Amino acid sequence: MIYLMVNQRVSERKLSMRLKIPQIAALLLLVFSPAVALAPLSDSGSSDVPIVYTTLPASARPGSWDGARLMRREPDGGTRPLSTGFHSAADPAISFDGLRVLFAGKRRAADRWQIFESSLDGNDVKQLTSLHLDCRQPVYQSRFFTLDAPTPWDQVAFVAGGQLHSVPLEMARSGNVPPQQITFLPGEVRDPVVAPDGRVVFSYRESSSKPSRLFGVNLDGTDYALFSGAPPVALRMAAVQSEESLVVIEDGQTDPWGAGSLGTMSLQRPQGGIAPALRESALRFHSPKALPGNSILVAARDTGAFGIARLDPSLRNSTWLVRDATQHLLQPQPVAPTALPDGRGSVVDPSVEWAVLYCQSVYVNDLPREKQMPRGMVRSVRVFTQAAGKSDAIGEGPVEQDGSFHLRVPANRPLRLELLDQSGAVLRRGAWIYARNKESRGCIGCHEDPELTPANRVPMAIEKPPVNLSQSPGASLRGGGR
């Protein structure tokens, strides 16, 4: 529960109001047009702009990026290395002004992966992180601002230890501040991408037995919310295709490299599902990225090594840009400016160790009639946290007659909620969530329709102080600590 937040809905409505008639028509074609067949790819392609990509020996073990190198390819076909002096380099990400590149690298084989930034000729290399964790998949974030700072500042996010971290870019360049963890989930976060509204969209898999799904957070980790609904296949490697859409890899969980088919989804209605972009294609795709002019740059293969292809909007005049039977060519990035996403502020206060959870009514949901709970059936909500793979109850709070509850919980820890009846039997259990320091996380109901507008009323629980479950994480605090 607590997947979709009210301010996210407001943001989406504001964005949709900015759309012009031609944009709406294009979006409808994107979402509702049938998939088209991919014609055989020719070998005479041009990207019109330089591209940066990662190369690995074709014999490399899937999942191992040791020995990877960054390469730059010019529109005339000339190539040159960008990661000279590194034992391994991968995960390139081009800055919004098209002038610099982030990447994960190891100078020596025994080093941990760290995040670096350089100019696009491979010079002026700066190390941005020095953690005792492997740091991978960096992205430039939108601008961050606070009321007490004279100007906004740029951020960088990356994955370390299976969680998102972020750091102010200028401070990271000078080594003056350590990165901060911004997601706190029991599973694995990967493949972050920054959407036009400034949110970071990422793939998350709670366990190896479950498919990965897309979630989103603000740049400080607040407002963690399910982004894509619950498709039957795994979703990975989302990329912004336009202000209205994402392109995503479907079913990437079954391929050892995470490759799969291509799908598209609306940024205005991401819960509306995934539309297949192709049919009748034997190719498997990896790490898509939009090119200027709405073409898609993507790594692709059938049974051999990955090459880099350009797919045009109709997908009927697509070409290979570069292939090498002895090398996997992955993670292509166009060297071109892109629109700066919306900036974001933050309510996070690191000096505060608690957060607030509230719900308008646990009886609001999108379940079939036979699974509905009669009003008055739910009497309390129990909260669990997790550490070292072990779950512990931290306490319970009452559910009011109107179905609302209001809790103060520990910040920056995985949390799971259970709804209980009068006898203490579990009626419903939610997925793992978390909340940041001093964040107020609210929901309309329990697994409610993600496009539902909340009723215009003040829930009974909000008129009372929150039940405090943040002081003794291991204790059972049934209704106490007000």
Side-chain angles (χ1 to χ4, degrees), residues 271-355:
Q271 298 282 339
I274 311 296
L278 300 174
R279 59 178 173 83
E280 300 174 8
S281 175
L283 295 177
R284 305 295 284 174
F285 299 96
H286 187 285
S287 47
K289 189 71 176 181
L291 276 166
N294 206 33
S295 295
I296 298 172
L297 190 65
V298 67
R301 72 166 179 175
D302 42 22
T303 58
F306 284 97
I308 295 174
R310 178 184 59 78
L311 309 183
D312 73 3
S314 70
L315 303 174
R316 296 182 186 275
N317 186 27
S318 302
T319 56
W320 291 107
L321 297 182
V322 55
R323 285 192 291 177
D324 183 341
T326 69
Q327 300 283 320
H328 286 305
L329 310 180
L330 297 158
Q331 302 176 327
Q333 298 277 316
V335 179
T338 52
L340 183 69
D342 294 343
R344 292 271 170 158
S346 178
V347 299
V348 173
D349 182 349
S351 67
V352 174
E353 297 182 351
W354 49 262

Side-chain angles (χ1 to χ4, degrees), residues 121-361:
D121 59 6
N123 296 318
D124 190 27
V125 178
K126 298 182 183 297
Q127 184 169 338
L128 304 186
T129 65
S130 298
L131 299 183
H132 298 295
L133 295 168
D134 285 325
C135 302
R136 298 292 306 271
Q137 300 180 332
V139 292
Y140 288 96
Q141 289 183 281
S142 54
R143 288 180 174 167
F144 191 95
F145 54 88
T146 60
L147 294 177
D148 58 352
T151 58
W153 60 90
D154 296 319
Q155 296 265 128
V156 167
F158 59 92
V159 175
Q163 302 296 320
L164 273 181
H165 294 64
S166 71
V167 63
L169 181 55
E170 287 299 328
M171 292 184 178
R173 286 170 176 165
S174 61
N176 289 338
V177 63
Q180 299 295 314
Q181 184 175 334
I182 61 172
T183 62
F184 302 84
L185 295 161
E188 180 185 14
V189 170
R190 54 190 175 183
D191 306 326
V193 61
V194 180
D197 67 358
R199 283 180 294 164
V200 181
V201 177
F202 57 87
S203 176
Y204 173 65
R205 185 172 64 172
E206 186 169 304
S207 69
S208 59
S209 63
K210 296 182 178 180
S212 53
R213 301 158 74 181
L214 297 184
F215 287 78
V217 294
N218 292 331
L219 81 175
D220 59 357
T222 58
D223 201 9
Y224 168 71
L226 183 65
F227 187 82
S228 61
V233 296
L235 301 179
R236 290 200 59 192
M237 305 180 206
V240 176
Q241 186 178 27
S242 68
E243 188 174 311
E244 294 85 35
S245 65
L246 290 179
V247 59
V248 65
I249 300 296
E250 297 182 88
D251 199 25
Q253 189 164 292
T254 59
D255 183 271
W257 286 95
S261 58
L262 277 175
T264 58
M265 62 187 301
S266 166
L267 277 169
Q268 279 66 56
R269 300 189 66 185
Q271 298 282 339
I274 311 296
L278 300 174
R279 59 178 173 83
E280 300 174 8
S281 175
L283 295 177
R284 305 295 284 174
F285 299 96
H286 187 285
S287 47
K289 189 71 176 181
L291 276 166
N294 206 33
S295 295
I296 298 172
L297 190 65
V298 67
R301 72 166 179 175
D302 42 22
T303 58
F306 284 97
I308 295 174
R310 178 184 59 78
L311 309 183
D312 73 3
S314 70
L315 303 174
R316 296 182 186 275
N317 186 27
S318 302
T319 56
W320 291 107
L321 297 182
V322 55
R323 285 192 291 177
D324 183 341
T326 69
Q327 300 283 320
H328 286 305
L329 310 180
L330 297 158
Q331 302 176 327
Q333 298 277 316
V335 179
T338 52
L340 183 69
D342 294 343
R344 292 271 170 158
S346 178
V347 299
V348 173
D349 182 349
S351 67
V352 174
E353 297 182 351
W354 49 262
V356 172
L357 300 181
Y358 59 92
C359 176
Q360 188 176 69
S361 175

